[in-house]
Amino acid sequence: MINPRFTQVIAVLLLALATLFTLAILVFIIGFILSKGLAHVDIDFILSNPEDMGRAGGIYPTIIGTLILSTLSILIAAPFGIGTAVFLTEYTRESRVTRIIRFGADCLAGIPSIIFGLFGFIFFVTTLGMSWSILSGSLTLAFMILPTIIRTSEEAIKSVPYAYRDVSFSLGATLWQTVRKVVLPNALPGILTGIMLSLGRSIGETAVVIFTAGSSLRTPQSLFDSIRTMSVHFYILAREGLSNEKAYATATVLIISILAINLISYWLMIRFISKRSG
Amino acid sequence: MKIFGENSIKNLLIVIAFSALTALFLILAFILLEGLPFIFNIGIKNFLLSSDWQPMAGKYGIFAMIVGSLWVTLGAIIVGVPLGLAGAIFLAEFLPRWMMRIIKPAIELLAGIPSVVYGFIGVMVLAPLIRDYIGGPGLSIMAASIILGIMILPTILSISIDSIKAVPQSYREGAFSLGATHWQTIHMATLPAAKSGIIAGIILGLGRAIGETMAVIMVAGNAVILPGSPLDSVRTLTANIALEMGYATGMHRQALFATGVVLLLIIMVLNYAATISIRNMNRKV
């Protein structure tokens, strides 16, 4: 029989190698994109319009498109998501109803984005006649990020200590006053973490956006205009081989935005945890 | 000063709380209404078991794509599960808490990278490597499997860490007191106890892999053929929808929605399996 101490050394070595390999993949992906793209990103690239289908010029309209679409989807989904979480945690006990609501949210979370794209196309774009527009796109994205916001808000609200609520009630506050002035402010960093995660997801989404918001390269004038996001622009540049240089540059801006969003949500989470345990 | 009374707020919240269910219902209703009649029209057998996909000629068989989706998902599991699980064990059992708190979010960052970026890396780096050193056209099941495996790794890792951490300390102490080494304790006591949680993580990863679209379109090659080897090009269910939705009309468009119905069914079965595993985990701990 092999010495168990020896087996342990081998096992730990393999586990450490696998972890390092995973980290190396992350570093490679980010490093690869940045090293090829960073040189082509400057103020001009960010603030000027694309020319010749994106072969030249910048990506200004796609940045505007990304900002509008993802912000609007958050603005639509957040009240519903946070409201659901408040209802589940503060206004009701565990029952068949809460189980059904959670089951619905879990199912929604498991639906692949391409299905959301199909649905957004047939429901918002076609049936409701909103055509390919900012409105169709952000409503569909809102459906997609709703479960994430519900789940993270619920976790955040649950972690607010009961003593806080008791004090508020003992001062004569009503349930809603307690929720609004005590529970939600204390759960805010946790809720924001969920919102940042959803923001990252909407920014990176491609299929849904093409199906529901189209891919028009003009700067939008109203909510009923079609737009193109950075992810869609990057996909079209890469897929149709328009310009590798511009594709790398667009991917660089995309990756930096995602990194920034993740850093902010990480920072929020750390603050949230240290506040809770401190 | 009061605009809403306590009761109207409660009623409003009840309505809001059903938003997710309403959304789910709307999605299922519209996809099924658009796709199901088509399936019954051309026949379940013609749709699911034929590999003849020629929408212009009125032939709508998606068997090759079902097989394609299953192949790349299986491949993703082969790549993603060992890496994710190994990382989870290492982070949860061998690293101090503060190091885990830095490395776990770093690996979870992999989940935040947009799928088009993965697809692009696959096309620019991975596919040429496979073509030059292993063979075939490069854009293949193997390329898609590796890319998908990396994409589902963070899901598997996070959930596995959570379920390993949820194993009661007394299990480990029991094994240690019998003279087991740390590694023996892990694979004989901790991992078996965390099994259902880890399985749930793998199933959720499976769901992500089978539903992924953009990365797969870019690296799988998209040929509608029954693949014979991992180096062959394939088209998945998701790729079929995304590639042809742009110009499909009439019957052809319905066929794509019907493809979506099949995808939804597969996902539902997987989610159901994951729910059962998670329920088992909660019962045990």
Side-chain angles (χ1 to χ4, degrees), chain A residues 23-243:
Chain A
L23 284 173
I25 294 172
L26 176 75
V27 172
F28 173 77
I29 292 176
I30 295 174
F32 181 77
I33 297 287
L34 293 193
S35 70
K36 298 242 177 183
L38 215 47
H40 306 295
V41 178
D42 51 23
I43 293 292
D44 224 35
F45 180 72
I46 289 171
L47 291 182
S48 64
N49 285 317
E51 283 153 31
D52 195 14
M53 308 275 290
R55 285 188 193 90
I59 53 166
Y60 179 70
T62 69
I63 294 180
I64 296 295
T66 307
L67 282 178
I68 296 178
L69 199 69
S70 47
T71 314
L72 200 58
S73 62
I74 297 276
L75 287 180
I76 297 167
F80 286 98
I82 299 171
T84 304
V86 168
F87 176 77
L88 287 176
T89 50
E90 306 292 318
Y91 278 82
T92 183
R93 282 170 209 286
E94 285 301 309
S95 66
R96 181 179 280 169
V97 176
T98 59
R99 270 201 300 278
I100 291 175
I101 291 173
R102 282 206 187 87
F103 176 75
D106 285 348
C107 285
L108 203 58
I111 290 181
S113 58
I114 187 91
I115 299 286
F116 282 98
L118 281 179
F119 164 74
F121 173 76
I122 201 76
F123 186 62
F124 296 118
V125 176
T126 313
T127 307
L128 297 185
M130 295 188 207
S131 83
W132 287 285
S133 63
I134 295 175
L135 207 55
S136 305
S138 45
L139 281 166
T140 314
L141 284 176
F143 273 50
M144 194 180 81
I145 60 178
L146 182 63
T148 311
I149 298 187
I150 293 178
R151 199 179 309 145
T152 45
S153 305
E154 218 191 321
E155 291 301 317
I157 292 173
K158 268 187 195 160
S159 71
V160 176
Y162 270 95
Y164 288 30
R165 296 176 178 84
D166 293 340
V167 170
S168 171
F169 290 136
S170 71
L171 291 172
T174 61
L175 181 52
W176 175 241
Q177 284 171 331
T178 307
V179 166
R180 198 160 52 100
K181 298 197 171 145
V182 177
V183 177
L184 285 182
N186 278 291
L188 193 63
I191 295 175
L192 285 178
T193 308
I195 287 183
M196 296 306 283
L197 282 176
S198 316
L199 193 63
R201 226 191 132 188
S202 335
I203 290 179
E205 189 50 57
T206 311
V208 172
V209 179
I210 295 182
F211 282 10
T212 57
S215 59
S216 159
L217 255 180
R218 273 174 314 194
T219 310
Q221 306 300 320
S222 85
L223 288 182
F224 292 97
D225 283 355
S226 163
I227 44 155
R228 183 184 288 193
T229 62
M230 282 191 278
S231 295
V232 173
H233 188 57
F234 169 59
Y235 173 69
I236 291 172
L237 286 178
R239 178 115 185 115
E240 299 184 356
L242 292 173
S243 158

Side-chain angles (χ1 to χ4, degrees), chain B residues 18 29 42 45 63 66 78 106 118-119 136 140 146 150 162-163 183 200 212 224 228 242 244 249 265-266 268 281 284:
Chain B
F18 278 93
I42 70 158
K45 215 179 124 198
F63 185 66
I66 296 177
I78 293 173
Y118 280 105
S140 56
I146 295 174
I150 297 169
D162 291 344
S163 44
W183 171 244
E212 175 51 46
V224 189
E244 303 193 354
T249 51
L265 283 178
I266 298 176
M268 274 177 181
M281 172 174 84
K284 218 179 284 171

Side-chain angles (χ1 to χ4, degrees), chain A residues 4-5 7-8 11-12 15-16 18-19 21-23 25-26 28-30 32-33 79-80 83-84 86-87 91 97 100-101 104-105 107-108 110-112 114-116 118-119 121-123 126-127 143 146 150 174-177 204 206-207 210-211 231 234-235 238-239 244 247-248 254-255 258-259 262 266 273, chain B residues 2 6 9-10 13-14 16-21 23-24 26-28 30-31 34 82-83 85-87 89-91 94 101-103 105-107 109-110 112-118 120-121 124-125 150 153 181-184 211 213-214 217-218 222 238 241-243 245 253 256-257 260-261 263-264 267 271:
Chain A
R5 300 241 157 251
T7 321
Q8 161 148 323
V12 175
L15 292 178
T19 311
F21 183 65
T22 305
L23 284 173
I25 294 172
L26 176 75
F28 173 77
I29 292 176
I30 295 174
F32 181 77
I33 297 287
F80 286 98
T84 304
V86 168
F87 176 77
Y91 278 82
V97 176
I100 291 175
I101 291 173
C107 285
L108 203 58
I111 290 181
I114 187 91
I115 299 286
F116 282 98
L118 281 179
F119 164 74
F121 173 76
I122 201 76
F123 186 62
T126 313
T127 307
F143 273 50
L146 182 63
I150 293 178
T174 61
L175 181 52
W176 175 241
Q177 284 171 331
T206 311
I210 295 182
F211 282 10
S231 295
F234 169 59
Y235 173 69
R239 178 115 185 115
N244 266 344
Y248 279 118
L254 198 56
I255 289 271
I258 296 282
L259 282 178
N262 275 278
Y266 183 55
I273 291 170
Chain B
K2 249 192 209 166
E6 285 289 321
I9 282 172
K10 181 169 183 180
L13 284 174
I14 293 177
I16 285 178
F18 278 93
S19 57
L21 267 180
L24 182 70
L26 275 176
I27 291 172
L28 293 182
F30 272 84
I31 302 286
E34 198 70 13
L83 279 178
L85 194 53
I89 298 172
F90 189 66
L91 291 185
F94 290 100
R101 274 209 189 151
I102 296 173
I103 296 180
I107 293 179
L109 194 57
L110 280 172
I113 292 176
S115 55
V116 274
V117 173
Y118 280 105
F120 190 59
I121 300 260
M124 302 304 280
V125 183
I150 297 169
L153 195 160
T181 63
H182 196 171
W183 171 244
Q184 284 174 325
T213 311
M214 299 319 269
I217 288 189
M218 293 170 87
N222 304 322
T238 51
I241 300 171
L243 284 167
M245 197 58 200
R253 200 167 85 188
L256 298 180
F257 274 87
V261 171
L263 184 64
L264 261 179
I267 297 277
N271 278 354

